[in-house]
Amino acid sequence: MEPIPVCDYEGSAYRTEFWTRGRQYEDKVERIALRKLLPPAGRRLIEIGAGFGRLADLYQGYERVILLDYAPSLLNDARQRLGRDGRFDYVVADLYYLPLASSVVDTAVTVRVLHHVQELPQAFAEIARVVRPGGTYVLEYANKRNLKAILRWLLRRQPDNPFSRQPYEFVPLNFDVHPEQIERLLSEAGFQLQTRLAVSIFRFEPLKRLVPIRFLAALDSLLQGVLAPLSLSPSIFLHTKLARTGTSPSPNPFGPAHSASARAGNST
């Protein structure tokens, strides 16, 4: 069986080249959305695709935080930035094969990850496996039915029909996904939708240059819930709960079957 391709950021300058070039607005509004959706506290949280730990400061209420990524260099960057905080474990792994026991985390998070995922059913099934029954999965995805894409399609400036249910792979391993497809696949994996937020509503470069970022972020925050039913924003955040029953949580999150070598720079 062929392995599922994974988008590999190993050795990239993701933090210095992507996040320092005019994306303060996106960073602010994504943080606002996560603060609204994340349970404030818990025993264990895992962020899958954590990269250099951009969002790690939002997890202060959790006893243990697992930052997981496919790229060791990004996790090394995260460890250097976060210092000696003993709550963090740094895990190098493939999201299709999480090196965790079943039902061991209270909360799972994926932000700017699903647009690189080719096989969403497998990814959601694996996340459902490691979340405890009644636990939370907060996710973000790139919405193919956003307003800009609709206008571009109507003007014949993009080939993909934003109303079709199929993912749009605009470059290799970069997918925009239809809201109905995402929510159907989550339901099939056992997740029940609780809250939807429209995020990055004003992701328009001329606007970001003309209007103060603080004002745009504040307006985005006010509209995230109001505009969510329309699903027209380029980024959508969801808060879901795992409905199914599962196995009893393991005291060891990495489980007896998984080698400690999966952990990169474990803080403990």
Short mmCIF file of all heavy atoms in Angstrom, two decimals, residues 42 48 71 117 125 151 177 192 214 234 256 268:
data_model
loop_
_atom_site.label_atom_id
_atom_site.label_comp_id
_atom_site.label_asym_id
_atom_site.label_seq_id
_atom_site.Cartn_x
_atom_site.Cartn_y
_atom_site.Cartn_z
N GLY A 42 -7.66 21.97 30.90
CA GLY A 42 -7.80 20.54 30.72
C GLY A 42 -6.53 19.84 31.13
O GLY A 42 -5.53 20.47 31.50
N ILE A 48 -1.71 19.44 16.49
CA ILE A 48 -1.15 18.67 15.37
C ILE A 48 -0.80 19.65 14.27
O ILE A 48 -1.63 20.43 13.83
CB ILE A 48 -2.18 17.63 14.89
CG1 ILE A 48 -2.54 16.66 16.02
CG2 ILE A 48 -1.64 16.86 13.69
CD1 ILE A 48 -3.78 15.83 15.75
N ALA A 71 7.96 18.08 10.83
CA ALA A 71 9.27 18.69 10.56
C ALA A 71 10.05 18.89 11.86
O ALA A 71 9.70 19.76 12.67
CB ALA A 71 9.09 20.03 9.85
N VAL A 117 -3.85 18.32 3.78
CA VAL A 117 -4.20 16.92 4.04
C VAL A 117 -4.95 16.34 2.85
O VAL A 117 -6.05 16.78 2.51
CB VAL A 117 -5.04 16.80 5.33
CG1 VAL A 117 -5.52 15.38 5.52
CG2 VAL A 117 -4.22 17.25 6.53
N ALA A 125 -10.25 10.24 11.46
CA ALA A 125 -10.38 9.01 12.22
C ALA A 125 -9.24 8.88 13.24
O ALA A 125 -9.45 8.44 14.38
CB ALA A 125 -10.39 7.80 11.28
N LEU A 151 -16.37 35.13 -6.71
CA LEU A 151 -16.26 36.23 -7.68
C LEU A 151 -15.27 35.89 -8.78
O LEU A 151 -15.52 36.17 -9.96
CB LEU A 151 -15.84 37.50 -6.95
CG LEU A 151 -16.87 38.08 -5.97
CD1 LEU A 151 -16.28 39.27 -5.22
CD2 LEU A 151 -18.15 38.48 -6.70
N VAL A 177 -11.35 23.41 0.64
CA VAL A 177 -12.36 22.37 0.87
C VAL A 177 -13.73 23.01 1.07
O VAL A 177 -13.85 24.08 1.68
CB VAL A 177 -11.98 21.51 2.09
CG1 VAL A 177 -12.89 20.29 2.18
CG2 VAL A 177 -10.53 21.06 2.02
N GLN A 192 -19.28 16.01 16.68
CA GLN A 192 -20.50 16.80 16.56
C GLN A 192 -20.15 18.28 16.57
O GLN A 192 -19.45 18.75 17.47
CB GLN A 192 -21.45 16.49 17.72
CG GLN A 192 -22.01 15.09 17.69
CD GLN A 192 -22.98 14.84 18.84
OE1 GLN A 192 -22.98 15.54 19.84
NE2 GLN A 192 -23.82 13.83 18.68
N ARG A 214 -5.15 46.59 13.95
CA ARG A 214 -5.91 46.45 15.19
C ARG A 214 -7.41 46.66 14.93
O ARG A 214 -8.25 45.94 15.49
CB ARG A 214 -5.41 47.46 16.22
CG ARG A 214 -6.10 47.37 17.58
CD ARG A 214 -5.54 48.38 18.55
NE ARG A 214 -4.11 48.17 18.76
CZ ARG A 214 -3.36 48.93 19.56
NH1 ARG A 214 -3.91 49.98 20.18
NH2 ARG A 214 -2.08 48.69 19.71
N PRO A 234 -12.47 33.16 3.90
CA PRO A 234 -11.44 32.24 3.40
C PRO A 234 -11.02 31.20 4.41
O PRO A 234 -10.51 30.14 4.04
CB PRO A 234 -10.28 33.17 3.05
CG PRO A 234 -10.50 34.40 3.85
CD PRO A 234 -11.99 34.55 3.97
N PRO A 256 2.23 2.08 25.53
CA PRO A 256 3.33 1.12 25.60
C PRO A 256 3.85 0.68 24.25
O PRO A 256 4.97 0.22 24.13
CB PRO A 256 2.70 -0.06 26.36
CG PRO A 256 1.23 0.06 26.09
CD PRO A 256 0.96 1.53 26.02
N THR A 268 10.37 16.55 29.34
CA THR A 268 10.44 15.86 30.63
C THR A 268 11.64 14.94 30.65
O THR A 268 12.18 14.55 29.64
CB THR A 268 9.16 15.05 30.87
OG1 THR A 268 8.98 14.13 29.79
CG2 THR A 268 7.97 15.97 30.97
#
